[in-house]
Amino acid sequence: MAVIGERVMVGGHSAVIRYVGDVTGYPGIWAGVEWDDPNRGKHNGFVNGVQYFRTKSARGGSLVNIQNVHRGVDLLTAILNRYADSVDENVFVIHSKAVELVGMQSTSQKQSNVFELRHIVLESCSVAAPPAAICPPFSRCVSLNLFNNLLQRWEDVQKILTLEKLSVVDCGIKRIVIGNGRFPSLTTLNIKDNVISDWSSINQLQLLPKLITLYINCEPLQCVQGISTHEVIIAKLPRLVDLNHFVISAIERHSAEVRFLDKYFCADDNVKADHINDIGRLKMIHGTIAVVDSKGIGLNVVPLAICYEGNTVEKRLPLAMTVQKLTEMVGRMFSLELTQVTLELDKGTHQILLENPLRTLDFYSPEPGDCLRLVAV
């Protein structure tokens, strides 16, 4: 029988069990479920004057007969159901190709073939548990898609070690813990539409030596004011190349790392507890970032030298100023038409062209001592 807190499928839709027992006026055993879709239900667990359970949404719950609750299957069973459908006692289908088997070897041969699969797709297949401990590893599998299944624990998907791509979208996973040596070949991970809200889970992703592509909902992760979650993830995962279909350039990585160091270096101990190692690593790369805070006007500013044809003007510039506004200001300073003004940030070791008018100055991570130059166009 289903237990409270368990993820289940009801009529093809995923939900969490919040109540199991009698319902006044109705025979049999009933399950109170909280749907993953908060608009699918009829109430919040309050029915005919009785509060059987509670849901986060006012209409996120339903009472269903326990016989309609599907608790799911283990990973191996789902793979066999999906890829080894029996045609007759001596023939089964794998990847839509009928393979004839002979005699008593049918069952064992059917199972052994699924362990040769390289790409496994189990979307909405009610996978709720890992395979049994005695199950051999899927040593040839490099891609696994578990979209919209019932898995709630990250540990349940760690049986397949050779994966290069893994999707566990909408599986109710709350926390990630990477075991020693797990997923040594994983390059792409999709964990969107789960309930991951702790930075310790992001720290665990640092243990994936080849991870370069990550898809994740940034909103549940909280960060300090003045930096986005997107930037914090980039700063914490130095090998990442693609975050939510956003290719991370060298400039964007540098900006994210510098801003992260600036915002978290002096943060309260409880705030930076999950970021201590990253602060130390980035301090070794960038040193201690010095951004001046103008308390009088409540803006973060940075002192820069603005240079043009031998003339230098010292200015304290708001980091929130866009490149377009900055270009207009510099044009007025030197009596130039906007079509004649292109800005370049000279950091001594390299130059960065400020070519996106909608970017703010802080995106380019300016520091005291940098020079803002006008480039002829």
Side-chain angles (χ1 to χ4, degrees):
M1 182 178 291
V3 297
I4 293 175
E6 183 178 4
R7 273 174 62 82
V8 296
M9 297 292 284
V10 182
H13 299 275
S14 52
V16 176
I17 296 291
R18 298 301 184 200
Y19 170 80
V20 177
D22 298 331
V23 174
T24 303
Y26 296 89
I29 303 299
W30 292 78
V33 299
E34 181 173 6
W35 301 102
D36 285 5
D37 178 357
N39 298 314
R40 180 169 179 75
K42 298 180 179 180
H43 48 72
N44 67 348
F46 186 81
V47 179
N48 295 333
V50 180
Q51 188 78 59
Y52 291 98
F53 60 98
R54 297 183 185 277
T55 63
K56 295 178 181 178
S57 171
R59 299 180 63 84
S62 296
L63 284 167
V64 298
N65 193 288
I66 197 68
Q67 296 180 354
N68 295 326
V69 173
H70 180 37
R71 301 183 66 189
V73 297
D74 66 82
L75 182 64
L76 177 58
T77 299
I79 292 173
L80 288 171
N81 290 342
R82 170 70 174 81
Y83 290 99
D85 298 320
S86 295
V87 177
D88 59 38
E89 63 178 0
N90 290 323
V91 178
F92 75 99
V93 175
I94 187 164
H95 280 318
S96 301
K97 180 180 179 180
V99 180
E100 185 173 355
L101 303 176
V102 180
M104 296 178 63
Q105 296 182 340
S106 297
T107 301
S108 61
Q109 184 66 32
K110 180 189 297 186
Q111 292 191 4
S112 66
N113 271 270
V114 298
F115 294 106
E116 299 297 312
L117 292 171
R118 290 182 57 79
H119 304 281
I120 299 175
V121 179
L122 298 173
E123 293 188 7
S124 304
C125 288
S126 300
V127 179
I134 60 173
C135 176
F138 295 84
S139 57
R140 290 179 58 82
C141 180
V142 297
S143 175
L144 175 62
N145 186 339
L146 290 169
F147 170 76
N148 190 32
N149 278 281
L150 304 178
L151 294 168
Q152 288 183 280
R153 302 189 318 138
W154 175 260
E155 294 87 338
D156 292 344
V157 300
Q158 293 196 137
K159 184 74 175 180
I160 304 177
L161 304 183
T162 55
L163 288 176
E164 296 175 7
K165 297 181 180 181
L166 173 62
S167 173
V168 285
V169 175
D170 193 18
C171 285
I173 293 174
K174 298 179 180 179
R175 191 164 179 263
I176 295 175
V177 178
I178 307 293
N180 290 334
R182 298 287 185 175
F183 301 121
S185 304
L186 193 68
T187 63
T188 302
L189 176 62
N190 191 341
I191 49 177
K192 291 181 76 69
D193 297 333
N194 286 288
V195 283
I196 299 168
S197 60
D198 63 298
W199 285 109
S200 61
S201 290
I202 306 303
N203 291 341
Q204 288 290 304
L205 299 183
Q206 297 172 349
L207 301 177
L208 300 173
K210 294 187 177 181
L211 182 67
I212 59 174
T213 301
L214 175 65
Y215 306 116
I216 183 174
N217 294 99
C218 293
E219 295 80 7
L221 293 160
Q222 300 297 314
C223 56
V224 299
Q225 188 174 6
I227 187 171
S228 69
T229 304
H230 184 94
E231 291 174 301
V232 175
I233 293 175
I234 291 174
K236 291 176 72 66
L237 300 177
R239 292 181 291 273
L240 206 62
V241 174
D242 183 336
L243 177 58
N244 293 334
H245 300 288
F246 179 86
V247 178
I248 304 165
S249 68
I251 294 175
E252 286 154 341
R253 172 162 294 285
H254 182 273
S255 174
E257 291 177 350
V258 169
R259 284 165 62 80
F260 173 87
L261 193 56
D262 174 48
K263 300 302 179 183
Y264 281 95
F265 183 74
C266 296
D268 294 338
D269 290 344
N270 63 320
V271 173
K272 63 182 180 183
D274 287 324
H275 309 293
I276 293 296
N277 291 338
D278 300 298
I279 292 171
R281 172 177 57 84
L282 294 176
K283 186 178 177 183
M284 293 290 292
I285 297 173
H286 301 289
T288 302
I289 306 302
V291 177
V292 181
D293 180 49
S294 176
K295 296 181 180 179
I297 58 176
L299 293 174
N300 285 331
V301 299
V302 61
L304 293 177
I306 304 175
C307 306
Y308 176 64
E309 292 186 344
N311 298 313
T312 300
V313 178
E314 298 286 342
K315 281 281 188 180
R316 291 162 61 86
L317 299 173
L319 292 172
M321 177 179 280
T322 64
V323 171
Q324 181 174 342
K325 292 294 185 182
L326 183 59
T327 301
E328 293 172 356
M329 183 196 75
V330 172
R332 290 193 298 269
M333 286 174 55
F334 295 102
S335 301
L336 297 172
E337 297 290 337
L338 291 182
T339 55
Q340 299 176 287
V341 179
T342 298
L343 300 179
E344 179 182 82
L345 185 65
D346 188 344
K347 300 187 70 65
T349 57
H350 63 283
Q351 292 75 42
I352 303 172
L353 191 64
L354 279 58
E355 56 185 352
N356 189 332
L358 300 181
R359 293 284 194 193
T360 54
L361 182 58
D362 63 346
F363 174 82
Y364 299 95
S365 302
E367 301 173 67
D370 290 348
C371 181
L372 197 61
R373 298 187 184 279
L374 276 72
V375 180
V377 293

